Structures are given as structure tokens and as C-alpha cells.
């Protein structure tokens, strides 16, 4: 079949990653960290690079500042064969940055400073209309203004293109404006925010998904980290166990999942197959440090998949 084409309207960041041995410093305290890296990130950019590494074509609509990071971000996209024609440069603004802190178990905590991402406007999406019209799916996240997210969903509906919305980081949403999304993909913490109550077990998880059904969101796919993913659709729940991996850094694993999900759906896989493959691709990404550089090529992924094993399900539905 034709090469999958994915539209990505969203963010990019420069990742400033600190690895530490034991703990965060207390207020007023200075301690030694283990290591530090600078890399390319941002939820939108990460998802786009995952698609490109798997072999897909990506139409990117994003914004950078007129600082030293802006040209580097454009060069990074170009390195993966992604057209930079719809990357907006915002005068007088910095590019987005994300300080990331990774503990010895590979778990991360992240701040984001959106910078130029906050100036990606609906008009920028409409300027890319003809290019986006070629997409099999469009990926959107919440590191850009909500008005731009809603405009993207509206345009996609007019173009009859399914949207995968990753509602991260959490923000209250206008549910009427996002009813047309094909897949709504929060993680467990984001789902708690939308549901309005803590999720402490399987029944809470299912009840939280049901609150989104009541708001008109038909297909909810919850990423659960080391527990895998849960699909809630048509009143039915399906659990997808995670894959075993030699985890060193979970940074970007959720974005690896989203990019792979969009790619395999665009390639023609059915939803259960695409979710399962996305779980595997995300697991593999945790075996290397960093974000985009931890994402595997299609060939590397398929080779790893030959011997990959799933974890025992931690939920019983």
C-alpha cells in the first residue's frame, strides 16, 4: 500500500535531561547529579519522529522561537525527512524547553515551558490545509493553545480525516469541540483529572472511562505504563498487556506509543493489532536513554518483536 501519511499539529521542545542517583535536592541544597543530556522533544515532535522512524511520511505544523534552538529543531525534523515548510518561527519568543528529571529506576518528572508553542494559531493550521488533507490520521496534543487544538479537529472533520487526541498535559476541555475525535488517548493521571475522582483500582478505571463516554467520547484508550493499555469502546473494555523490556528510561514512551499507533492504523492494521504493536514499540523505547533517539526504526522494531514477550496481565476485566 501507499506510504502512510500522518499529520501532526502540536508542540516541539528541547529536552534538558538530568539523571540522578538518589533523590532531588531539598530547598536550598546542592547535590551532585549523575548525568545530563540535551535532546529534541515535545510531545508533538516526538510522535512525529516515531512515525518517521517507522517509515511514515509526516506533515508537521508547529512553532519555534527565534533563539538558537529554533534552527536546530528544524534541522532535526529535516534529518528524518520531514518537510519544515509549516514550522512557524515566532519573533521575540524562545523555543519550548522541557527540564526532565530521571530517577535510578528510569521514572521521570517533567516541567514544560511552552515558549513559541503558545503562539501556534488556528490560522497556521489552515495555511497547512492542503498538505494535511493528504493525511490518513492527524495527531494532536495539548502543549499548544486549545483554540488551535479545536481548530485542528474542526478542519480534520471537514477533510474527513480521523483525529487521535492525546490530552496531555491535562487541561479542562470543551467536550463539544472534541466530540469528533476518533481516539482519545490519556494516561491514567490525565484520566483522573477528566473524571474528577482518584483511580485506585480496576472499577475506578472503568468508571472513569465511562464518564468520557457520557460526554460523547466514543473511543477511549488509556495508557497505563508498565500495565499496558486499556481500550474502552462501545461499552466494552479490552486490556492490552505491556511487553517486557530492560527499562532504563521511560521518557517519551507515551509518545512512542502514540506515533506507532497512528502509523500502524494508517498502514491498515485494525485497532486491536495497532494498539498491541504500539505497546511493544513503547516498551522497546524504554531500553535506551533519551526520547527521540530511543525510538527504533521499523527494521529494529520488527527484529526485536520476534523474541519479545508480554508481561502477565495486571488487570482482570
Amino acid at each position: 500500500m501507499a506510504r502512510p501519511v500522518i499529520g501532526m499539529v502540536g508542540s516541539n521542545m528541547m529536552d534538558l535531561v538530568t539523571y540522578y542517583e538518589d533523590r532531588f535536592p531539598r530547598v536550598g541544597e546542592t547535590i551532585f547529579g549523575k548525568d545530563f543530556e540535551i535532546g529534541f522533544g515535545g510531545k508533538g515532535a516526538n510522535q512525529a519522529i516515531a512515525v518517521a522512524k517507522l517509515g511514515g511520511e509526516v506533515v508537521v505544523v508547529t512553532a519555534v522561537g527565534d533563539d538558537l534552538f529554533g534552527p536546530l529543531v528544524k534541522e532535526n525534523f529535516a534529518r528524518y525527512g520531514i518537510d519544515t515548510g509549516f514550522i512557524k518561527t515566532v519573533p521575540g519568543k524562545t523555543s519550548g524547553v522541557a527540564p526532565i528529571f530521571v530517577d535510578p529506576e528510569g521514572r521521570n518528572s517533567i516541567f514544560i515551558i511552552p515558549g513559541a508553542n503558545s503562539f501556534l494559531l488556528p490560522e497556521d493550521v489552515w495555511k497547512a490545509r492542503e498538505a494535511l488533507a493528504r493525511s490518513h490520521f492527524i495527531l494532536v496534543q495539548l502543549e499548544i493553545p486549545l483554540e488551535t487544538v479545536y481548530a485542528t479537529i474542526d478542519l480534520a472533520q471537514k477533510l474527513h480525516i480521523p483525529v487521535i487526541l492525546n490530552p496531555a498535559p491535562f487541561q479542562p476541555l470543551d467536550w463539544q469541540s472534541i466530540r469528533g475525535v476518533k481516539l482519545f488517548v490519556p494516561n491514567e493521571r490525565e484520566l483522573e483529572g477528566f473524571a474528577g475522582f482518584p483511580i485506585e483500582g480496576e472499577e475506578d478505571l472503568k468508571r472513569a472511562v465511562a464518564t468520557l463516554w457520557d460526554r460523547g467520547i466514543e473511543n477511549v484508550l488509556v495508557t497505563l505504563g508498565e500495565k499496558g493499555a486499556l481500550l474502552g469502546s462501545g461499552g466494552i473494555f479490552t486490556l492490552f498487556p505491556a511487553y517486557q523490556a530492560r527499562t532504563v528510561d521511560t521518557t517519551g514512551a507515551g509518545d512512542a506509543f502514540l506515533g506507532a499507533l497512528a502509523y500502524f492504523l494508517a498502514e491498515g492494521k485494525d485497532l486491536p493489532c495497532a494498539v498491541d504493536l504500539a505497546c511493544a514499540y513503547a516498551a522497546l523505547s524504554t531500553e535506551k536513554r533519551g526520547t527521540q533517539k530511543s525510538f527504533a526504526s521499523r527494521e529494529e522494531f520488527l527484529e526485536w518483536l520476534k523474541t519479545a514477550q508480554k508481561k502477565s496481565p495486571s488487570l482482570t476485566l
Side-chain angles (χ1 to χ4, degrees), residues 87-129:
I87 299 179
K88 173 183 179 180
T89 299
V90 184
K93 300 299 178 182
T94 63
S95 298
V97 295
I100 300 172
F101 303 90
V102 183
D103 72 11
E105 284 73 47
R107 299 171 298 189
N108 62 70
S109 300
I110 304 174
F111 289 99
I112 63 167
I113 299 90
N117 292 291
S118 296
F119 297 86
L120 187 67
L121 304 175
E123 65 192 53
D124 301 313
V125 181
W126 281 92
K127 287 177 183 177
R129 174 177 178 146

Side-chain angles (χ1 to χ4, degrees), residues 43 47 108 110 112 140-143 165-173 175 184-199 204-205 208-209 211-212 215 220-225 254-255 257-258:
K43 290 185 179 299
Q47 292 167 24
N108 62 70
I110 304 174
I112 63 167
V140 196
Q141 320 79 31
L142 302 187
E143 290 179 338
L165 175 58
N166 175 213
F170 169 78
Q171 296 184 59
L173 294 172
W175 298 102
F184 187 79
V185 192
N187 66 21
E188 200 167 355
R189 298 287 76 80
E190 291 148 7
L191 180 61
E192 280 187 338
F194 294 121
F197 55 81
I199 296 174
D204 288 338
L205 185 58
V209 170
T211 66
L212 300 186
R215 296 170 192 174
V220 182
L221 178 59
V222 188
T223 56
L224 301 171
D255 296 328
F257 177 92
L258 266 296

Side-chain angles (χ1 to χ4, degrees), residues 240-276:
F240 296 85
Y243 279 75
Q244 296 178 16
R246 298 183 298 276
T247 298
V248 297
D249 185 357
T250 60
T251 307
D255 296 328
F257 177 92
L258 266 296
L261 177 68
Y263 174 82
F264 287 115
L265 285 172
E267 194 181 47
K269 300 288 193 299
D270 63 27
L271 183 55
C273 179
V275 174
D276 183 64

